[in-house]
C-alpha cells in the first residue's frame, strides 16, 4: 500500500488512520490497538515524514477512535448495562461519532508535515530490519485473530492474559533470537511502572468511594444546570477516565445518560462513550499515550500528550455537541439517508485529499 | 543464588552477553551488595505483611453466616443435587425446601442473585426462618450466586459485613457481597460477552448471574449456577419464580415488578392488591431484547411464570456518599437527599432514607400478595403460606424480631 500510494501522502495518512482503528474496532481496546496496528503503522507514518510526537499522537488518538467505533465499544456497553439498555442499534451513531472526527483530527496533526514517501529510503529501512517478511507480524496477527475469535464466537474464551502470552511465545520463535529470561525481566520492569500507577489509582478510588468524595463529585456534577452539566460532562468523564475509561463509563456515564433521558439515548450513550475513551489520554494512566510513546520510541510521553491536545479538545467539543443535538442526530443516523451521505462524504474527502496531494507534488 | 537475589533487587539492562546490574534509586553501582540485600529483605517483608493482612481480610468473607432452619423447612438440599458438577465449587449453595401439608403449586424464590443487594437476601432469609406452607412447595435459594458472596466489588468501598441486632441483644451478621462471581472462581473475563442468545454484553457481565440464564451445564461457574437453577425449575415443575433484587434510586426501574409477558395478568393483579394495602409499586414488562435475565430466560425456556422485584437501595447507587455499614442498614445519605430535591431520582426519598427494614418489608409483602394473586388465578395449584412477617410488623419491630438467634 505504501509503495502504491507513496506519492499521495495525505491520502495515505488518512488510510493509515483507518488501518490503525481496525484493531480497536474488533477488540474494543485502545491499548491493544496502539500495540498492534499502531506498531505496524508507525514505520509508514515515519516514512511520511512525521516526527515521533506526531506519529505517536495519531496512533494514540486513532486507538481511541478505534476503541469507540463499531462493532465493539466497551464503554457504550458498560453505560448501557447501567440502565439495562441492550447493545443494539449502535452501529450508525458510533460511525457518526468516530470516523469524521478521526479524519479531521488526523489531518490537523499531520497534514502540514507529511511528504511523499522516499521509496528508496523506505525500502532500505525495511531491508535493515533484523527479521523480514510475514514472520515478523505473525505474533500480532495471531493476537488479533484470537481476540476477534473471543469477541465473535460464543464459548471461545482464552482471556487477554493468555492471548498475550501465546503471542509472546510465538514472537520468541519468529522474532530476533534473544535471552528469554532477560527479556522477561525487562518486560516486568517496564510493566511495573504502569502496574503501580493502576494499583495506586485503584486504591485512591477505593478510598474516595469509602469516604464519600466520589459521591460528592458525581452528585455535584449531576446537579448542575443544563449548560453547566454539559461542561461537567465534557470535563468530568475524560478526567475520571484518567483512572479508567471503563470505570468512568460506569461511575459517571450512567448517571449522565439518565440525566439526558428523553433525548436519543443511543446517540447520547455513544457520545458519552467517546468522552470516556478520551480518558485513555489523560494522565496519570494515559494508557493510549504511554503505549504510543513505547511504540514510537519516545521516552517522554507528555510530548505525545501535548501534541494530541488539539485533537483531544476538538473531540471533546464534538462529543458534547452530539449530546446537545442527540435527537436530531438520532433522526439522521437512523434515516435511509445516513449511509448514502456517509459514503458521499467519504468520496468527497478522498477527492479533496488527492487534490491536496497533487498540489503538494506540483509544488515539490 | 546470590546473582539471582542481586538481579531481583536491581534489574537488567543492555544487550550484551553479561547482565548489567542497575540498582534501584539510580546510578549507585558502587553500593555494597550487602546493603541491597537488606533493602531487598525489608521490602519483601513489608510486601509479605501487606499480602498476608489483605489475604486474611479477603478470605474472611469465605465463611457462610448461618441461616437458621425455620419451623416450616422440611429439607435443605444443595444446588449441586440438580447439577452434580457444581459440587465442591464456590457456586454450590443451599436450597431450602418448605413442603406444604396439602399438595399444590411449586414456587421458587431467589435471593442473593446480586449479593450487593442485601434486601433480597434478607427477605429470603426471613421467609426461611419464619414461614410454613399450608399448600404447595416452596424452594428458597437465599444465596443464589454463592461465589459472589465471598468478596465485594473493588473500588466500590463497600463494607464486607453488616449486622442486625436481635431482641435478646445478640447480633446476626451478613455479608455485603458483589454483583459478580468471585474472580477466584472464574477468571479472566473476556472483553465482550457473547450471550448464547446472540446478545452482546460487556465482558464483565459473564460473571453476573442475572445475565447468565438459561446457563450451560458444561459452562463456567456462573453459567453452571444458572443451569442448575433452570434444572430446578424444570425438574421440580416450578409454577412461579420470584427473583428478589434492589436497585439504585437513580435507576428508572425502581420499586417495581418486572414481569415476563406470560405473567402480565398476575403482575397487574399483584400491583392492584398492593396498592390497596398502601404499597406503591410500578410494573415493567421484561424487554425481549434484554437477554440473560431471570424474567426473560426462565420465562422463555420453561412453563413457569416469572417476576423480578426491585426496591431502592442507596448503598449500591453511584450518587452515594460515605459507604458504610450504616448506609447499608439505614439507607440515609445526604447526596441522595439532594438528588431527590433536584428531581434526579426514580424513587421517593426523604430524610428517613431507605432503611433495610422497609426494603425487606416491601419484598416480603410483595411475595405474599403475589402468592395471593396466584391462588386467585390458579386455585388448582395453590401455594398458601402461613406466618409470613407482616409489613407493619417488620417496620415497627425491626428485622431482628424476625431473625432467629444463632446458637
Amino acid at each position: 500500500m505504501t509503495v502504491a500510494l507513496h506519492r499521495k501522502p495525505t491520502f495515505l495518512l488518512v488510510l493509515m488512520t483507518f488501518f490503525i482503528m481496525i484493531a480497536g474496532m474488533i477488540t474494543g481496546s485502545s491499548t491493544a490497538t496502539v500495540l498492534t496496528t499502531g506498531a505496524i503503522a508507525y514505520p509508514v507514518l515515519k516514512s511520511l515524514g512525521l516526527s515521533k510526537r506526531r506519529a505517536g499522537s495519531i496512533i494514540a488518538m486513532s486507538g481511541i477512535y478505534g476503541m469507540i467505533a463499531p462493532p465493539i465499544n466497551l464503554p457504550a456497553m458498560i453505560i448501557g448495562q447501567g440502565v439495562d439498555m441492550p447493545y443494539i442499534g449502535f452501529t450508525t451513531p458510533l460511525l457518526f461519532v468516530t470516523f469524521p472526527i478521526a479524519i479531521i483530527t488526523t489531518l490537523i496533526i499531520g497534514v502540514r508535515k507529511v511528504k511523499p514517501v522516499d521509496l528508496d529510503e523506505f525500502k532500505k529501512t525495511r531491508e535493515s530490519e533484523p527479521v523480514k517478511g510475514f514472520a515478523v507480524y505473525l505474533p500480532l496477527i495471531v493476537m488479533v485473530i484470537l481476540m476477534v475469535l473471543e469477541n465473535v464466537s460464543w464459548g471461545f474464551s482464552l482471556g487477554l492474559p493468555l492471548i498475550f502470552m501465546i503471542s509472546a511465545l510465538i514472537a520468541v520463535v519468529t522474532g530476533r533470537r534473544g535471552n528469554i529470561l532477560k527479556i522477561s525481566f525487562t518486560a516486568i520492569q517496564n510493566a511495573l511502572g504502569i502496574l503501580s500507577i493502576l494499583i495506586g489509582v485503584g486504591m485512591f478510588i477505593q478510598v474516595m468511594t469509602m469516604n464519600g468524595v466520589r459521591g460528592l463529585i458525581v452528585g455535584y456534577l449531576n446537579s448542575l444546570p443544563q449548560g453547566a452539566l454539559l461542561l461537567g460532562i465534557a470535563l468530568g468523564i475524560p478526567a475520571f477516565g484518567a483512572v479508567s475509561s471503563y470505570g468512568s463509563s460506569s461511575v459517571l456515564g450512567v448517571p449522565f445518560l439518565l440525566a439526558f433521558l428523553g433525548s436519543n439515548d443511543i446517540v447520547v450513550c455513544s457520545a458519552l462513550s467517546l468522552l470516556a475513551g478520551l480518558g485513555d489520554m489523560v494522565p496519570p494512566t494515559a494508557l493510549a499515550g504511554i503505549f504510543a510513546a513505547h511504540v514510537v520510541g519516545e521516552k517522554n510521553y507528555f510530548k505525545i500528550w501535548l501534541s494530541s491536545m488539539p485533537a483531544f479538545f476538538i473531540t471533546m467539543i464534538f462529543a458534547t455537541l452530539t449530546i446537545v443535538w442527540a435527537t436530531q442526530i438520532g433522526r439522521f443516523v437512523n434515516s435511509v439517508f445516513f449511509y448514502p451521505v456517509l459514503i458521499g462524504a467519504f468520496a468527497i474527502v478522498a477527492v479533496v485529499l488527492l487534490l491536496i496531494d497533487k498540489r503538494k507534488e506540483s509544488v515539490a | 543464588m546470590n546473582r539471582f537475589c542481586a538481579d531481583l533487587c536491581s534489574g537488567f539492562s543492555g544487550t550484551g552477553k553479561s547482565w548489567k546490574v542497575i540498582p534501584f534509586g539510580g546510578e549507585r553501582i558502587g553500593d555494597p551488595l550487602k546493603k541491597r540485600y537488606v533493602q531487598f529483605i525489608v521490602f519483601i517483608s513489608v510486601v509479605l505483611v501487606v499480602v498476608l493482612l489483605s489475604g486474611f481480610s479477603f478470605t474472611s468473607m469465605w465463611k457462610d453466616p448461618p441461616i437458621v432452619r425455620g419451623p416450616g423447612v422440611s429439607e435443605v438440599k444443595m444446588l449441586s443435587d440438580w447439577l452434580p458438577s457444581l459440587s465442591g465449587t464456590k457456586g454450590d449453595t443451599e436450597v431450602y425446601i418448605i413442603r406444604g401439608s396439602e399438595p399444590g403449586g411449586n414456587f421458587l424464590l431467589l435471593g442473593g442473585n446480586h449479593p450487593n443487594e442485601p434486601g433480597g437476601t434478607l427477605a429470603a432469609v426471613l421467609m426461611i426462618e419464619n414461614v410454613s406452607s399450608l399448600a404447595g412447595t416452596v424452594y428458597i435459594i437465599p444465596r443464589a450466586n454463592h461465589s459472589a458472596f465471598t468478596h465485594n466489588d473493588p473500588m466500590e468501598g463497600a463494607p464486607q459485613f453488616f449486622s442486625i441486632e436481635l431482641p435478646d441483644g445478640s447480633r446476626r451478621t451478613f455479608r455485603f457481597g458483589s454483583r459478580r462471581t468471585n474472580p477466584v472462581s472464574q477468571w479472566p473475563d473476556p472483553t465482550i460477552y457473547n450471550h448464547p442468545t446472540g446478545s452482546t454484553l460487556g465482558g464483565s457481565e459473564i460473571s453476573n448471574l442475572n445475565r447468565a440464564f438459561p446457563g450451560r451445564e458444561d459452562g463456567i461457574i456462573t453459567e453452571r449456577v444458572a443451569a442448575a437453577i433452570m434444572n430446578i425449575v424444570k425438574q421440580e415443575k416450578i409454577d412461579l419464580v420470584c427473583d428478589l433484587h434492589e436497585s439504585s434510586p437513580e435507576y428508572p426501574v425502581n420499586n417495581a415488578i418486572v414481569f415476563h409477558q406470560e405473567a402480565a395478568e398476575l403482575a397487574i393483579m399483584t400491583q392492584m392488591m398492593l396498592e390497596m394495602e398502601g404499597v406503591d409499586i410500578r410494573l415493567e414488562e421484561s424487554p425481549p431484547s434484554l437477554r440473560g435475565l431471570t424474567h426473560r430466560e426462565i420465562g422463555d425456556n420453561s412453563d413457569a411464570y416469572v417476576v423480578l422485584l426491585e426496591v431502592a437501595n442507596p448503598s449500591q447507587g453511584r450518587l452515594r456518599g460515605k459507604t458504610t455499614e450504616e448506609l447499608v442498614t439505614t439507607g440515609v445519605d445526604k447526596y441522595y437527599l439532594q438528588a431527590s430535591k433536584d428531581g434526579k431520582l426514580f424513587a421517593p426519598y426523604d430524610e428517613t432514607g431507605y432503611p433495610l427494614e422497609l426494603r425487606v418489608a416491601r419484598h416480603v409483602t410483595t411475595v405474599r400478595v403475589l402468592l395471593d394473586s396466584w391462588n386467585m388465578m390458579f386455585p388448582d395449584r395453590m401455594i398458601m403460606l402461613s406466618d409470613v412477617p407482616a409489613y407493619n410488623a417488620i417496620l415497627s419491630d425491626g428485622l431482628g424480631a424476625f431473625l432467629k438467634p444463632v446458637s
Side-chain angles (χ1 to χ4, degrees):
Chain A
M1 190 166 69
T2 309
V3 175
L5 294 170
H6 71 283
R7 287 177 184 280
K8 316 281 181 213
T10 320
F11 190 74
L12 183 57
L13 177 69
V14 173
L15 278 188
M16 290 319 293
T17 301
F18 292 166
F19 171 74
I20 296 168
M21 286 171 67
I22 289 171
M25 291 164 71
I26 52 181
T27 63
S29 158
S30 65
T31 308
T33 312
V34 168
L35 291 175
T36 53
T37 43
I40 296 170
Y42 175 58
V44 180
L45 296 177
K46 195 177 160 189
S47 71
L48 284 169
L50 291 177
S51 63
K52 284 180 183 177
R53 285 173 55 174
R54 288 180 189 274
S57 268
I58 288 174
I59 291 171
M61 291 306 294
S62 304
I64 290 170
Y65 299 133
M67 153 191 182
I68 301 304
I72 308 292
N73 175 330
L74 290 171
M77 286 181 197
I78 291 168
I79 296 169
Q81 279 158 209
V83 293
D84 282 349
M85 181 165 73
Y87 188 67
I88 295 170
F90 277 83
T91 303
T92 52
L94 290 177
L95 283 173
F96 179 84
V97 299
T98 50
F99 277 83
I101 199 75
I103 296 171
I104 293 166
T105 54
T106 295
L107 291 176
I108 288 171
I109 297 169
V111 71
R112 279 183 298 173
K113 300 291 176 186
V114 288
K115 55 181 176 44
V117 178
D118 182 340
L119 271 187
D120 293 335
E121 188 68 27
F122 184 69
K123 281 174 185 166
K124 231 184 272 175
T125 313
R126 300 297 301 270
E127 278 163 14
S128 67
E129 285 169 358
V131 182
K132 297 180 190 66
F134 176 75
V136 75
Y137 297 115
L138 197 60
L140 295 176
I141 292 167
V142 168
M143 189 181 95
V144 171
I145 289 173
L146 291 176
M147 287 175 92
V148 171
L149 274 177
E150 175 150 307
N151 286 351
V152 299
S153 64
W154 172 59
F156 179 89
S157 179
L158 296 178
L160 282 184
L162 186 56
I163 289 174
F164 277 104
M165 181 75 80
I166 291 169
S167 306
L169 289 174
I170 293 171
V172 169
V173 181
T174 60
R176 189 169 57 187
R177 295 280 180 272
N179 183 324
I180 297 173
L181 188 63
K182 197 169 121 184
I183 292 168
S184 305
F185 270 110
T186 310
I188 289 169
Q189 265 203 322
N190 286 338
L192 278 177
I194 293 169
L195 286 177
S196 58
I197 289 173
L198 290 174
I199 291 169
V201 163
M203 289 162 70
F204 178 64
I205 293 294
Q206 176 82 353
V207 173
M208 278 221 310
T209 312
M210 282 173 77
N211 64 18
V213 174
R214 191 183 91 173
L216 174 72
I217 295 168
V218 177
Y220 175 73
L221 289 174
N222 210 33
S223 65
L224 292 169
Q226 193 78 350
L229 177 64
L230 284 165
L231 190 65
I233 289 173
L235 298 174
I237 294 185
F240 206 90
V243 177
S244 150
S245 57
Y246 301 153
S248 179
S249 308
S250 172
V251 174
L252 289 176
V254 175
F256 285 149
L257 177 59
L258 291 172
F260 283 91
L261 277 184
S263 176
N264 187 308
D265 300 339
I266 294 177
V267 173
V268 173
C269 182
S270 302
L272 291 173
S273 74
L274 180 59
L275 287 169
L278 285 179
D280 278 356
M281 277 304 286
V282 177
T285 47
L287 291 175
I290 285 176
F291 284 115
H294 272 284
V295 164
V296 302
E298 174 60 66
K299 284 179 185 165
N300 185 356
Y301 90 88
F302 269 98
K303 288 183 180 172
I304 286 170
W305 182 73
L306 281 173
S307 187
S308 306
M309 279 304 100
F312 182 94
F313 283 108
I314 288 169
T315 308
M316 184 191 279
I317 292 165
F318 173 72
T320 311
L321 292 177
T322 303
I323 294 171
V324 174
W325 290 308
T327 309
Q328 294 84 341
I329 292 169
R331 260 186 241 128
F332 169 59
V333 297
N334 291 319
S335 72
V336 291
F337 303 113
F338 178 70
Y339 281 111
V341 169
L342 188 74
I343 292 165
F346 278 158
I348 292 168
V349 168
V351 170
V352 170
L353 294 178
L354 290 171
L355 287 173
I356 293 172
D357 286 334
K358 199 170 180 184
R359 196 174 158 208
K360 274 191 176 179
E361 200 178 348
S362 61
V363 170
Chain B
M1 183 62 193
N2 283 354
R3 179 62 177 272
F4 181 72
C5 285
D7 291 337
L8 271 181
C9 299
S10 349
F12 300 98
S13 177
T15 53
K17 285 179 184 172
S18 62
W19 296 350
K20 180 184 167 192
V21 178
I22 301 174
F24 285 130
E27 296 296 319
R28 293 184 289 115
I29 295 171
D31 280 5
L33 204 60
K34 196 176 168 185
K35 190 177 172 185
R36 293 206 300 275
Y37 282 140
V38 173
Q39 284 177 347
F40 172 71
I41 289 165
V42 169
F43 179 73
I44 290 296
S45 305
V46 171
V47 169
L48 269 177
V49 169
V50 172
V51 167
L52 280 173
L53 289 176
S54 309
F56 284 131
S57 172
F58 185 69
T59 53
S60 68
M61 292 183 73
W62 289 13
K63 193 177 174 202
D64 292 342
I67 294 174
V68 181
R69 283 175 66 152
V73 175
S74 359
E75 193 180 354
V76 182
K77 294 177 101 173
M78 296 301 285
L79 199 52
S80 55
D81 291 329
W82 285 272
L83 185 61
S85 70
L86 271 180
S87 180
T89 70
K90 284 260 194 295
D92 204 6
T93 188
E94 306 98 336
V95 181
Y96 294 81
I97 303 171
I98 302 172
R99 295 191 197 284
S101 42
E102 297 291 328
N106 296 315
F107 174 46
L108 173 62
L109 183 65
L110 297 175
N113 188 329
H114 289 151
N116 63 334
E117 298 166 10
T121 310
L122 261 291
V125 171
L126 238 64
M127 298 292 277
I128 291 167
E129 299 195 358
N130 290 278
V131 306
S132 299
S133 175
L134 302 173
T137 304
V138 181
Y139 298 81
I140 304 178
I141 309 179
R143 296 186 273 240
N145 190 350
H146 179 268
S147 171
F149 276 95
T150 61
H151 73 134
N152 56 13
D153 291 316
M155 294 193 285
E156 287 296 328
Q160 291 176 301
F161 302 95
F162 63 94
S163 62
I164 293 161
E165 189 172 357
L166 274 54
D168 65 359
S170 64
R171 298 190 79 86
R172 287 277 299 271
T173 300
F174 297 90
R175 289 172 293 189
F176 189 91
S178 165
R179 186 176 173 84
R180 298 194 167 89
T181 303
N182 193 328
V184 171
S185 310
Q186 180 182 307
W187 183 88
D189 293 337
T191 43
I192 67 161
Y193 174 30
N194 289 297
H195 193 268
T197 56
S199 178
T200 306
L201 301 162
S204 60
E205 292 292 38
I206 202 165
S207 48
N208 177 351
L209 177 60
N210 207 29
R211 298 295 181 277
F213 286 93
R216 284 192 305 162
E217 291 197 357
D218 58 349
I220 50 179
I221 285 282
T222 314
E223 291 175 317
R224 275 191 273 160
V225 170
I229 292 171
M230 279 304 301
N231 286 351
I232 294 181
V233 173
K234 288 176 179 170
Q235 290 170 22
E236 306 303 328
K237 296 184 171 50
I238 298 291
D239 298 296
L240 176 62
V241 178
C242 180
D243 185 13
L244 303 175
H245 285 257
E246 291 186 301
S247 52
S248 44
E250 70 271 24
Y251 177 62
V253 182
N254 227 312
N255 293 349
I257 302 173
V258 187
F259 60 89
H260 185 264
Q261 65 271 13
E262 296 293 327
E265 201 179 332
L266 177 68
I268 292 166
M269 188 181 286
T270 305
Q271 184 205 29
M272 286 166 56
M273 289 172 68
L274 280 168
E275 296 282 351
M276 283 192 278
E277 292 195 20
V279 179
D280 289 331
I281 200 154
R282 300 179 198 179
L283 290 178
E284 297 280 345
E285 185 168 346
S286 169
S289 56
L290 198 60
R291 308 305 307 210
L293 293 96
T294 48
H295 48 78
R296 171 52 44 204
E297 303 302 342
I298 299 179
D300 281 358
N301 293 285
S302 75
D303 296 327
Y305 289 74
V306 190
V307 296
L308 180 150
L309 306 185
E310 295 278 16
V311 62
N313 168 19
S315 66
Q316 69 174 112
R318 289 164 179 85
L319 308 183
R320 70 180 187 275
K322 204 171 178 180
T323 311
T324 59
E325 181 182 343
E326 193 186 354
L327 177 61
V328 175
T329 51
T330 66
V332 175
D333 185 279
K334 58 183 176 183
Y335 300 130
Y336 269 109
L337 189 58
Q338 185 58 47
S340 177
K341 287 174 183 165
D342 294 340
K344 303 280 184 187
L345 304 184
F346 290 87
Y349 193 90
D350 58 24
E351 287 79 2
T352 57
Y354 241 87
L356 194 53
E357 288 86 4
L358 174 63
R359 283 135 57 192
V360 173
R362 285 186 65 98
H363 271 339
V364 171
T365 304
T366 307
V367 170
R368 175 178 58 75
V369 174
L370 178 74
L371 292 177
D372 289 345
S373 308
W374 172 268
N375 292 336
M376 280 197 272
M377 287 176 65
F378 304 99
D380 56 326
R381 285 180 279 167
M382 296 268 267
I383 305 162
M384 288 187 69
L385 302 185
S386 63
D387 303 316
V388 179
Y391 185 84
N392 287 329
I394 298 174
L395 291 185
S396 59
D397 301 342
L399 286 171
F402 297 93
L403 290 169
K404 304 283 182 274
V406 177
S407 54

